């Protein structure tokens, strides 16, 4: 206990919020792996309150108001109880004789969170100590997911600090603890956004971190609509809080990423592209996992907004994205409809999990455009007119529908008897013209498509 309280007092004296948060973190520091055991064994349930009060109030140099001192005692008492539950659960998990009760861990850590909220609300914990709220919210969410997984009888040894898939809906049973965690973290959000102190001493500096934790939690619960409530609250308070660009870059990147994903799910791809591009530019180049998550949504955005495909150089550091997107990109370039459909099916599970399947499916229009463009190019040029030079030849712009029909049947792998007829092809061509992926009109009387001249037949491609 002495070592932990010593670090607590030092952090208070130095006004170091992150060092202060480290004293109530359920992960021991690398330099002192046995800290949690030592802290828990330094007292017992009968004398923990008095022992911690004595440890905090004794000695010189630390001047805390009586109310603040009592609030920190309550926090550390709750922390001591939570550490006991954590150590018990981990010991049972290691032994493997029976299932650890991680629900007790969650409930104990929830008490830590509640005492911290009381400390900020009633005892006026200083704003520089808000990293304590970061640690409280982060581990509340993690313990909740672990408890729910155990309750769903998902066998296997999973420690409380194991990495989890953010952005992925948990389909195993109910998420009772995670739903409760979302409510508790939302209390922290309210605690911060309602602070009326001056910005220098405001808890609003914790807003984007807490918002990001809530984003992760709501996405895990498939409650994306609740994320929009957060954005509305932030927008309503925008005049009373610091601008996003003065927050830590890590907070900015995560916030922009989730804003981009929300716009993506609303099919506002231009807005999504803007947010995701900002996240990409701000993200640390060494954060490969985060960069991969951003690209997972940015690549489909580019496909629909600018009709651009990821380069091999861009995907090279991300083998997982290479496996997902390279087959699709290859088929799009070739105009290979059958190959594109096969690549979509091959990656369907991951695409659906990441909520990008329907967006990628719209890329089929680009495959079709590229196929029709190839037919147009292969069609050659119109015969030279009198006085016309080779350099001034005009590309043939009247293409028989039968040529498009043949190309489509080959690309789609249609067998004899399954071939598209001219009416079906005309319908596809009309859609392409309507979507401005192809400029011209259909002359049914002559059975031809009349395309625009001067490199405007397929806008944006130079043809």
């Amino acid at each position: 206990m002495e070592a932990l309280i010593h670090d607590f007092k030092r952090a208070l004296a130095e006004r170091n919020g992150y060092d202060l948060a480290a004293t109530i973190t359920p992960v021991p520091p690398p330099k002192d792996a046995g800290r949690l055991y030592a802290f828990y064994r330094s007292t017992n349930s009968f004398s923990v309150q008095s022992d911690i009060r004595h440890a905090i109030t004794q000695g010189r140099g630390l001047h805390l108001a009586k109310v603040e001192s009592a609030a920190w005692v309550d926090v550390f008492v709750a922390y001591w109880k939570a550490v006991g539950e954590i150590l018990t659960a981990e010991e049972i998990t290691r032994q493997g004789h029976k299932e650890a009760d991680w629900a007790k861990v969650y409930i104990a850590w929830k008490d830590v969170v509640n005492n911290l909220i009381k400390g900020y609300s009633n005892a006026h914990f200083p704003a520089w100590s808000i990293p304590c709220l970061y640690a409280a919210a982060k581990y509340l969410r993690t313990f909740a997911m672990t408890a729910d997984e155990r309750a769903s009888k998902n066998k296997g040894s999973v420690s409380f600090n194991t990495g989890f898939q953010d952005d992925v809906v948990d389909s195993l049973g109910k998420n009772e603890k995670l739903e409760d965690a979302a409510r508790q973290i939302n209390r922290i959000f309210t605690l911060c956004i309602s602070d009326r102190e001056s910005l220098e001493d405001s808890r609003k500096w914790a807003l984007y971190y807490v918002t990001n934790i809530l984003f992760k939690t709501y996405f895990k619960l498939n409650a994306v609509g609740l994320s929009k409530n957060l954005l509305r609250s932030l927008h309503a308070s925008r005049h009373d809080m610091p601008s996003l660009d003065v927050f830590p870059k890590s907070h900015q990147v995560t916030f922009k990423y989730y804003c981009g994903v929300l716009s993506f799910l609303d099919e506002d791809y231009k807005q999504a592209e803007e947010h995701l591009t900002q996240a990409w530019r701000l993200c640390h180049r060494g954060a490969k996992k985060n960069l991969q998550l951003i690209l997972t949504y940015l690549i489909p955005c580019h496909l629909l907004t600018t009709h651009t495909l990821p380069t091999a150089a861009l995907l090279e550091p991300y083998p997982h994205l290479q496996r997902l997107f390279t087959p699709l990109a290859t088929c799009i370039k070739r105009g290979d409809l059958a190959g594109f459909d096969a690549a979509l099916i091959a990656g369907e599970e991951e695409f659906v999990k990441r909520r990008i399947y329907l967006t990628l499916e719209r890329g089929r229009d680009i495959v079709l455009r590229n196929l029709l463009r190839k037919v147009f190019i292969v069609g050659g040029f119109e015969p030279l007119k009198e006085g016309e030079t080779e350099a001034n030849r005009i590309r043939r712009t009247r293409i028989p529908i039968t040529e498009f029909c043949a190309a489509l049947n080959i690309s789609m792998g249609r067998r004899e008897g399954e071939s598209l007829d001219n009416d079906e092809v005309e319908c596809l061509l009309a859609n392409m013209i309507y979507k401005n992926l192809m400029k011209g009109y259909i002359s049914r009387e002559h059975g031809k498509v009349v395309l625009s001249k001067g490199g405007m037949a397929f806008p944006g491609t130079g043809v």
Side-chain angles (χ1 to χ4, degrees):
M1 182 181 293
E2 290 182 5
L4 188 143
I5 298 300
H6 175 269
D7 287 351
F8 165 73
K9 291 181 177 180
R10 178 180 53 78
L12 280 177
E14 296 175 357
R15 297 171 63 89
N16 189 320
Y18 287 96
D19 282 355
L20 186 64
T23 64
I24 57 167
T25 298
V27 179
K31 63 180 181 181
D32 188 7
R35 170 174 286 191
L36 296 185
Y37 281 98
F39 174 62
Y40 185 68
R41 292 170 180 170
S42 64
T43 185
N44 57 62
S45 59
F46 298 102
S47 58
V48 60
Q49 187 91 20
S50 58
D51 287 347
I52 290 178
R53 182 185 300 109
H54 178 72
I56 288 178
T57 56
Q58 74 173 356
R60 298 178 180 179
L62 185 63
H63 303 288
L64 291 178
K66 187 176 181 180
V67 174
E68 185 179 353
S69 178
W72 279 117
V73 170
D74 290 341
V75 169
F76 276 99
V77 169
Y79 176 65
W80 180 85
K81 294 176 181 178
V83 167
E85 296 293 352
I86 291 166
L87 295 177
T88 299
E90 290 192 324
E91 184 64 27
I92 291 173
T93 299
R94 277 194 296 270
Q95 292 175 355
H97 299 311
K98 60 179 181 178
E99 198 71 23
D101 191 352
W102 286 90
K104 287 185 177 180
V105 175
Y106 170 76
I107 292 170
W109 192 257
K110 178 180 171 181
D111 195 36
V112 175
V113 173
N114 287 333
N115 278 284
L116 273 173
I117 291 175
K118 289 178 184 176
Y120 284 96
S121 300
N122 304 327
H124 305 292
F125 285 175
W128 58 262
S129 66
I130 55 176
C132 293
L133 294 174
Y134 301 168
K138 173 184 175 181
Y139 288 105
L140 186 71
R141 175 178 178 271
T142 305
F143 289 140
M145 290 190 294
T146 306
D148 285 336
E149 287 194 0
R150 296 302 188 186
S152 300
K153 297 180 180 179
N154 182 20
K155 302 300 181 181
S157 178
V158 181
S159 182
F160 70 88
N161 56 350
T162 300
F164 291 89
Q165 286 275 7
D166 295 333
D167 315 313
V168 180
V169 180
D170 188 356
S171 60
L172 298 175
K174 296 181 179 179
N175 295 290
E176 178 184 352
K177 294 295 184 291
L178 190 59
E179 289 173 358
D180 184 62
R183 289 190 287 271
Q184 305 311 316
I185 299 170
N186 196 60
R187 289 176 61 206
I188 298 176
F189 177 85
T190 302
L191 174 75
C192 296
I193 202 168
S194 61
D195 191 12
R196 291 295 175 260
E197 293 288 339
S198 62
L199 288 182
E200 294 79 8
D201 301 311
S202 176
R203 293 189 295 268
K204 287 180 179 177
W205 289 101
L207 272 175
Y208 283 107
Y209 185 96
V210 177
T211 299
N212 293 336
I213 289 286
L214 281 171
F215 278 154
K216 293 179 182 180
T217 305
Y218 290 149
F219 271 68
K220 188 79 173 177
L221 291 169
N222 199 24
V224 178
L226 295 177
S227 298
K228 297 176 184 178
N229 294 339
L230 296 177
L231 294 179
R232 282 191 284 269
S233 296
L234 291 173
H235 182 74
S237 301
R238 67 190 184 281
H239 299 301
D240 300 321
M241 57 186 292
S243 61
L244 178 61
D245 59 0
V246 298
F247 282 79
K249 279 191 177 181
S250 59
H251 298 194
Q252 296 180 49
V253 170
T254 307
F255 182 74
K256 283 295 181 182
Y257 164 75
Y258 278 105
C259 285
V261 175
L262 287 170
S263 295
F264 183 93
L265 296 178
D266 283 340
E267 298 185 2
D268 186 352
Y269 297 112
K270 287 188 177 180
Q271 186 69 40
E273 184 178 28
E274 181 180 333
H275 288 307
L276 292 168
T277 299
Q278 290 174 353
W280 172 262
R281 290 172 179 167
L282 289 169
C283 191
H284 192 281
R285 294 299 97 182
K288 296 294 184 183
K289 179 183 176 182
N290 293 340
L291 292 169
Q292 178 172 296
L293 284 172
I294 294 169
L295 282 179
T296 300
Y297 297 94
L298 190 54
I299 288 172
C301 280
H302 282 321
L303 178 61
L304 291 190
T305 58
T306 60
H307 302 161
T308 54
L309 299 171
T311 63
L314 176 67
L315 295 178
E316 185 179 358
Y318 315 101
H320 181 65
L321 295 184
Q322 278 184 319
R323 290 192 296 272
L324 289 177
F325 291 117
T326 299
L328 288 172
T330 302
C331 294
I332 289 172
K333 288 178 182 177
R334 292 177 179 172
D336 182 357
L337 290 167
F340 180 81
D341 292 340
L344 264 184
I345 293 171
E348 182 176 2
E349 183 178 352
E350 182 70 14
F351 295 148
V352 171
K353 184 188 294 184
R354 292 293 174 186
R355 305 177 175 94
I356 60 175
Y357 181 86
L358 294 177
T359 304
L360 290 174
E361 193 176 39
R362 294 183 181 182
R364 203 170 190 274
D365 287 339
I366 312 303
V367 185
L368 182 56
R369 185 219 39 200
N370 289 346
L371 175 64
L372 300 177
R373 179 175 174 271
K374 286 179 180 290
V375 174
F376 176 63
I377 293 172
V378 170
F381 297 89
E382 295 181 359
L384 283 173
K385 297 180 181 178
E386 186 177 351
E388 187 178 34
T389 64
E390 188 70 25
N392 295 328
R393 293 184 71 184
I394 298 175
R395 184 170 291 281
R396 185 180 62 138
T397 56
R398 292 173 174 80
I399 312 296
I401 292 175
T402 53
E403 293 186 14
F404 287 127
C405 189
L408 281 165
N409 284 317
I410 293 172
S411 180
M412 296 172 70
R414 292 294 182 96
R415 299 176 182 177
E416 190 175 347
E418 301 176 347
S419 301
L420 296 174
D421 58 32
N422 282 5
D423 289 339
E424 290 174 298
V425 174
E426 283 183 17
C427 182
L428 289 172
L429 294 171
N431 279 329
M432 296 299 288
I433 294 170
Y434 173 76
K435 294 175 181 178
N436 201 37
L437 293 172
M438 178 175 165
K439 279 191 176 293
Y441 63 91
I442 299 172
S443 174
R444 299 200 69 185
E445 182 181 353
H446 298 93
K448 293 183 178 181
V449 178
V450 182
L451 297 171
S452 298
K453 298 180 181 181
M456 295 297 296
F458 295 87
T461 67
V463 175

